[in-house]
Amino acid sequence: MLAIRNPLSPEASLVARTRRGDAGAFEALVRQHKDSVLNLARRMVADCDAAEDIAQEAFIKAYRELHRFRGESAFATWLYRITINEARLYLRGHQRRVARWERQRDLAAAEASAQSPTDDPAPLTELLQELSADQREALALFHLKELSLEEIARTLGAPLGTVKARLSRGRERLRQLARERGLA
Amino acid sequence: MNCEHVQRKLAEYSAGLVQGDERLRLAEHLAACEPCRAQLAEYRALDELLAGERVVADEGLVRKVMTEVRVMGAPRRPVWLLSLERVAPLATVAAALPLLALFVLTALNWSSSPAADALFAGVSYAHTISLGLAVGACGLAALFAAWLTWRAAEAVS
Ligand SMILES: [Zn+2]
């Protein structure tokens, strides 16, 4: 599908100014997207500190890799794709760490008691972690309330019907889980 | 439309992902059916809860990113890409030269001048084949180099 290019959009001009070395222009881009990127990361991994690290890393990677941004999509969708990739990397590392703990049971037990749930300020964000990664990614992008279904599909590099199915099943599962936990 | 069908569609419906006729028929059923409406309310409550869990990134995030970015300096295109851009036009020209040579040789061959006859006197069929393959490879290389140049230029825009 042909993407519509608008070289005169304010965002495109911020990207162009960043490329010419104007750090202030990049700061404006960071401010524009910081909340969305952080929320996306948070819904992907639940952990607040990890989400903040992921958001930070996503912006830095976007800056470093700006030559790869070809303006065929909105800067935001490109940035969200980087954020999701960073979150996937984190989760993969996290799984490895968990597996290591499970091999060393004592350590695992100690770890579990060390991070016993404190007062949970975001129960639904926590609940998202029980969905499959595919469903969680689709839901996290959907709940930014910024992207159309087509844009979500393009960000995830998946067909429209697939994304729709992931959203639908994810929402259904989330409702069931919330019911079981007495959240809804 | 029975309740089972409606409830299977509610996850999509409540997210605004059902359009047209089907949306109307679902709305009609929901208006008349209390249990399905109750389930719809659950989806709405979930969406509200999730929206309520939205966080705001504080100034710290901007500061951390910008500190790192300022240390990095202006975003640079990687060295391999820069050198490729420099080399690609040259490679295109260099690869195009044999094509030009073949064209000239072919023209000479057909012109059947005494000079051309002398030039092609010792050329065998195998020679011609290998020359053809070499020229074909050069042509492909030329196309590839041109494509790389175009892509690199595209990435800047
Ligand atoms: Zn019903």
Side-chain angles (χ1 to χ4, degrees):
Chain A
M1 199 162 61
L2 273 178
I4 299 162
R5 282 190 182 213
N6 182 1
L8 297 175
S9 78
E11 191 160 83
S13 103
L14 284 176
V15 171
R17 278 167 51 199
T18 305
R19 281 193 176 124
R20 289 197 295 270
D22 179 351
F26 189 70
E27 187 168 338
L29 284 170
V30 175
R31 281 182 198 287
Q32 236 167 61
H33 299 291
K34 67 181 173 57
D35 291 347
S36 297
V37 166
L38 183 65
N39 277 291
L40 185 56
R42 189 144 144 67
R43 284 173 181 150
M44 288 289 297
V45 304
D47 184 276
C48 287
D49 293 337
E52 180 123 4
D53 287 348
I54 289 167
Q56 191 186 331
E57 197 48 47
F59 279 117
I60 289 163
K61 198 163 262 181
Y63 184 80
R64 198 168 45 222
E65 306 276 298
L66 204 59
H67 66 273
R68 285 180 199 272
F69 174 61
R70 303 175 67 179
E72 283 159 359
S73 58
F75 179 72
T77 43
W78 183 69
L79 185 61
Y80 297 160
R81 196 154 49 225
I82 296 176
T83 309
I84 285 179
N85 282 339
E86 283 303 308
R88 282 179 189 163
L89 282 177
Y90 167 83
L91 289 171
R92 227 172 287 157
H94 189 65
Q95 268 162 15
R96 268 201 302 277
R97 284 193 298 278
V98 170
R100 206 160 52 223
W101 290 340
E102 277 168 0
R103 276 198 300 275
Q104 305 165 318
R105 299 236 156 202
D106 297 343
L107 208 81
E111 199 66 38
S113 66
Q115 49 167 222
S116 61
T118 48
D119 60 320
D120 195 343
L124 270 191
T125 306
E126 292 283 345
L127 218 52
L128 278 176
Q129 309 312 304
E130 299 190 26
L131 304 180
S132 74
D134 284 345
Q135 292 173 355
R136 192 164 61 243
E137 285 168 6
L139 278 176
L141 285 169
F142 176 77
H143 278 282
L144 290 178
K145 303 275 175 212
E146 287 173 19
L147 306 181
S148 67
L149 197 61
E150 285 80 6
E151 287 171 314
I152 294 176
R154 228 173 298 144
T155 305
L156 292 174
L160 202 68
T162 308
V163 170
K164 208 166 166 178
R166 284 178 194 166
L167 274 175
S168 171
R169 285 195 205 113
R171 284 171 71 75
E172 183 146 17
R173 177 105 182 89
L174 195 65
R175 189 181 63 87
Q176 281 164 359
L177 286 169
R179 239 174 178 222
E180 286 166 21
R181 313 290 159 85
L183 287 168
Chain B
M1 216 178 240
N2 59 17
C3 292
E4 198 193 329
H5 176 87
V6 171
Q7 289 178 11
R8 250 203 328 269
K9 276 278 164 187
L10 276 182
E12 270 178 51
Y13 176 86
S14 58
L17 299 177
V18 181
Q19 305 297 330
D21 261 10
E22 197 178 12
R23 180 162 193 88
L24 286 177
R25 274 181 288 136
L26 285 166
E28 233 166 67
H29 177 100
L30 282 160
C33 179
E34 173 62 35
C36 286
R37 234 177 13 244
Q39 207 175 97
L40 178 65
E42 282 182 32
Y43 281 110
R44 301 256 187 266
L46 278 184
D47 287 339
E48 249 169 66
L49 271 174
L50 255 178
E53 289 177 11
R54 225 184 127 85
V55 289
V56 173
D58 58 25
E59 201 50 32
L61 177 64
V62 181
R63 214 172 35 237
K64 279 188 222 156
V65 170
M66 290 316 293
T67 306
E68 195 124 346
V69 156
R70 292 212 160 85
V71 170
M72 286 161 72
R76 277 170 204 282
R77 324 196 61 207
V79 176
W80 66 265
L81 192 59
L82 284 173
S83 36
L84 196 69
E85 279 165 35
R86 223 163 287 150
V87 166
L90 278 176
T92 310
V93 173
L97 279 177
L99 280 176
L100 193 68
L102 180 76
F103 179 75
V104 171
L105 284 174
T106 313
L108 272 175
N109 198 9
W110 280 344
S111 71
S112 71
S113 65
D117 285 346
L119 190 63
F120 287 100
V123 178
S124 71
Y125 188 62
H127 277 133
T128 316
I129 295 276
S130 25
L131 182 70
L133 285 175
V135 167
C138 288
L140 281 180
L143 279 178
F144 181 62
W147 175 73
L148 281 177
T149 317
W150 169 79
R151 237 186 75 122
E154 177 79 353
V156 196
S157 66

